[in-house]
Amino acid sequence: NAGVTQTPKFQVLKTGQSMTLQCAQDMNHNSMYWYRQDPGMGLRLIYYSASEGTTDKGEVPNGYNVSRLNKREFSLRLESAAPSQTSVYFCASSDETRNFFEQYFGPGTRLTVT
Amino acid sequence: GQSLEQPSEVTAVEGAIVQINCTYQTSGFYGLSWYQQHDGGAPTFLSYNALDGLEETGRFSSFLSRSDSYGYLLLQELQMKDSASYFCAVGQTDSWGKLQFGAGTQVVVTP
């Protein structure tokens, strides 16, 4: 099992460009999450999907959109990138039948917006 | 609103015991979990407490006191590989499925 995979690993964008971060999990988990982590800080939830077809805003949703494509895949889109969106983005998943406190994270995407 | 406080850094020698405290202020508190993150890596789940008391998992233990809005992670028999950041995270009953993370505690283990 690969667990949670994310692409790309690194990305540099110019202000105003758009891009989609991809995330997939092979653990048959219902819930998936997108977080951002800025230097020296904890993780902040951007969007959350409790199940296929549902999404909900987290703490910092402005400037982002998400799509829960199917049970396995959850993508994050930046429509018009801004320097403030320079961060490390982590995707995670959890098994609701067990415990949403136990989340499994992907390796992250390091995004720089110039 | 809600807030989480944990120390920014703790330094200890190999073989020692380290306690990382986490105090929280949150409505509808449901539970507290702990994650470890090595530099450049992904966070990994360590433990979870919903009820008062101590949960032990090998060298790591986690404690919760709901009445004091406080928990801690105890790292015993410290090893060099334990040098990492440790985050506490809380969940609320009215935000089911979502976690709020603290800013993290950098643990530095010295020989």
Side-chain angles (χ1 to χ4, degrees):
Chain A
N1 285 351
V4 180
T5 57
Q6 293 183 235
T7 56
K9 287 188 168 53
F10 300 92
Q11 184 71 50
V12 179
L13 290 178
K14 294 188 188 307
T15 297
Q17 287 185 319
S18 62
M19 79 162 294
T20 300
L21 282 65
Q22 307 286 356
C23 173
Q25 52 91 10
D26 63 1
M27 295 175 284
N28 202 36
H29 287 169
N30 287 320
S31 298
M32 297 186 74
Y33 313 82
W34 276 105
Y35 293 92
R36 62 177 287 173
Q37 185 175 34
D38 300 310
M41 295 183 67
L43 297 144
R44 291 186 291 169
L45 183 65
I46 305 172
Y47 269 95
Y48 155 67
S49 172
S51 61
E52 185 179 348
T54 68
T55 60
D56 193 12
K57 293 178 181 178
E59 186 183 352
V60 288
N62 291 345
Y64 305 95
N65 286 301
V66 290
S67 295
R68 183 74 183 267
L69 305 168
N70 47 55
K71 191 171 186 179
R72 289 188 64 249
E73 299 172 288
F74 189 36
S75 63
L76 178 72
R77 182 158 179 85
L78 287 70
E79 290 292 351
S80 180
S84 61
Q85 294 178 304
T86 293
S87 190
V88 180
Y89 291 85
F90 288 101
C91 177
S93 68
S94 68
D95 182 351
E96 284 285 295
T97 61
R98 290 186 59 186
N99 185 345
F100 73 86
F101 285 82
E102 183 174 349
Q103 297 184 10
Y104 294 81
F105 285 80
T109 294
R110 282 146 185 82
L111 175 66
T112 302
V113 182
T114 61
Chain B
Q2 53 184 330
S3 69
L4 284 164
E5 289 190 15
Q6 51 180 129
S8 59
E9 185 171 321
V10 172
T11 300
V13 296
E14 265 187 302
I17 299 174
V18 158
Q19 179 173 315
I20 304 169
N21 298 323
C22 176
T23 57
Y24 59 86
Q25 289 185 335
T26 186
S27 58
F29 174 82
Y30 186 83
L32 181 74
S33 58
W34 290 92
Y35 285 78
Q36 178 192 61
Q37 185 180 31
H38 287 100
D39 274 351
T44 56
F45 172 80
L46 291 176
S47 68
Y48 162 63
N49 297 71
L51 304 175
D52 285 357
L54 192 68
E55 294 282 342
E56 296 180 80
T57 311
R59 295 187 295 113
F60 294 177
S61 303
S62 59
F63 172 83
L64 177 65
S65 168
R66 296 174 71 100
S67 60
D68 293 324
S69 297
Y70 161 76
Y72 66 71
L73 180 70
L74 195 69
L75 286 61
Q76 302 181 76
E77 300 171 19
L78 272 180
Q79 301 176 8
M80 295 299 291
K81 67 179 181 179
D82 298 330
S83 290
S85 291
Y86 293 83
F87 297 89
C88 59
V90 298
Q92 299 171 274
T93 53
D94 58 357
S95 297
W96 191 254
K98 301 177 185 177
L99 291 179
Q100 171 95 13
F101 282 80
T105 299
Q106 177 85 33
V107 171
V108 178
V109 182
T110 60

